[in-house]
Amino acid sequence: MREIVFDTETTGFDPSTGDRIVEIGCIELLNRIPTGATFHEYINPERDMPPSAEAIHGLSAEFLADKPRFADIAEKFLEFIGDESKLVAHNAGFDMTFIDYELKKCGLVPPTRDRVIDTLTLARRKHPGGGNKLDDLCARYGIDNSRRTKHGALLDAELLAEVYAELAGGRQANLGLVATLREELSVTATVTTSRRSEQTSHLSEGEREAHRKLVTTLGEKAVWLDYLGKEKLPAAE
């Protein structure tokens, strides 16, 4: 199962009032394990940067001035996320509103909302009443977020991929499967050893001797010789 964990940074909260995406970061997962494949772009918003937004992500208008516009990276973004992969984001409605706006502005079709998984919704269901911001979830699951001095799309996507694995029960399920397999293998080995040790013969010595004589009449290639350990047999009468 292929999934894309992603995050965006923007100039504000509402694209309908002129706010734009300034950074996008994506992490590819296969069966909820990062493959190492990523998509990351800084984007020129073609407008000024409000101080309140710069304080959050640290991206200035000067830094972004020579970066590509969203229209320049839109096709590459769509190619990376594919047509069927689930899209995982924290407070996904916010990110998808901007993605929809930017893609439609380029004349492209946005991903359908049925592909989107919102980890904020998952967290609220699993931890009702608790703090469910990304930093809160990192602390809850023991995920190191010390590098997160500012919001950054790629870093936040990396952290979210770890959080998502915990929310979805992936790590616990994998560990449980390994433990179960080890237990089953141990039990199987014990039973097999026990059965082997319990397989004692109840034949009398006379019956054994009669069997040996019968085998000698079957020829040198008789299969029974293997079961008898190819021991020295008496000559056939």
Side-chain angles (χ1 to χ4, degrees):
M1 177 177 61
R2 183 177 188 262
E3 297 170 300
I4 303 297
V5 180
F6 78 100
D7 184 55
T8 63
E9 299 299 335
T10 68
T11 63
F13 298 101
D14 188 355
S16 67
T17 62
D19 287 316
R20 304 290 301 276
I21 292 177
V22 296
E23 184 186 8
I24 187 165
C26 305
I27 305 292
E28 180 187 59
L29 306 182
L30 284 181
N31 298 321
R32 298 191 181 132
I33 299 174
T35 65
T38 63
F39 177 88
H40 180 232
E41 291 283 354
Y42 292 111
I43 299 165
N44 181 352
E46 303 177 275
R47 53 153 292 169
D48 65 316
M49 180 65 69
S52 57
E54 186 174 342
I56 293 172
H57 48 60
L59 302 176
S60 66
E62 291 75 19
F63 172 78
L64 298 169
D66 62 348
K67 302 302 184 287
R69 300 168 301 154
F70 191 91
D72 299 325
I73 61 94
E75 293 281 3
K76 290 192 297 181
F77 169 69
L78 288 176
E79 181 180 353
F80 184 84
I81 67 173
D83 296 328
E84 298 180 358
S85 301
K86 292 292 186 181
L87 306 175
V88 183
H90 202 63
N91 191 18
F94 175 86
D95 298 281
M96 288 306 300
T97 297
F98 276 90
I99 293 293
D100 288 355
Y101 174 84
E102 296 283 7
L103 288 173
K104 288 177 180 178
K105 194 171 186 295
C106 299
L108 299 170
V109 179
T112 56
R113 291 300 179 98
D114 61 348
R115 293 175 56 185
V116 179
I117 297 173
D118 187 356
T119 51
L120 180 57
T121 300
L122 295 179
R124 285 173 173 168
R125 289 174 181 168
K126 191 167 185 177
H127 307 291
N132 288 307
K133 294 180 180 179
L134 184 57
D135 284 334
D136 297 328
L137 294 169
C138 286
R140 178 177 285 121
Y141 293 126
I143 296 168
D144 182 11
N145 65 339
S146 58
R147 295 178 295 156
R148 196 178 188 242
T149 56
K150 294 276 188 183
H151 287 221
L154 187 61
L155 173 59
D156 287 1
E158 291 173 349
L159 294 173
L160 184 58
E162 295 189 62
V163 166
Y164 177 51
E166 296 286 358
L167 287 172
R171 291 184 179 180
Q172 291 86 342
N174 289 338
L175 290 174
L177 178 61
V178 170
T180 300
L181 288 173
R182 285 177 176 170
E183 182 178 352
E184 289 178 354
L185 289 171
S186 176
V187 169
T188 301
T190 302
V191 170
T192 301
T193 302
S194 176
R195 285 176 178 172
R196 286 176 177 172
S197 65
E198 292 172 0
Q199 290 176 348
T200 55
S201 174
H202 298 285
L203 296 175
S204 67
E205 187 56 38
E207 290 170 326
R208 288 172 183 270
E209 185 63 25
H211 180 64
R212 291 191 185 96
K213 289 182 178 180
L214 173 63
V215 170
T216 62
T217 67
L218 302 178
E220 295 181 357
K221 296 183 179 181
V223 174
W224 276 107
L225 290 172
D226 294 329
Y227 290 94
L228 293 175
K230 296 185 179 180
E231 57 187 293
K232 185 176 180 181
L233 299 173
E237 296 179 355

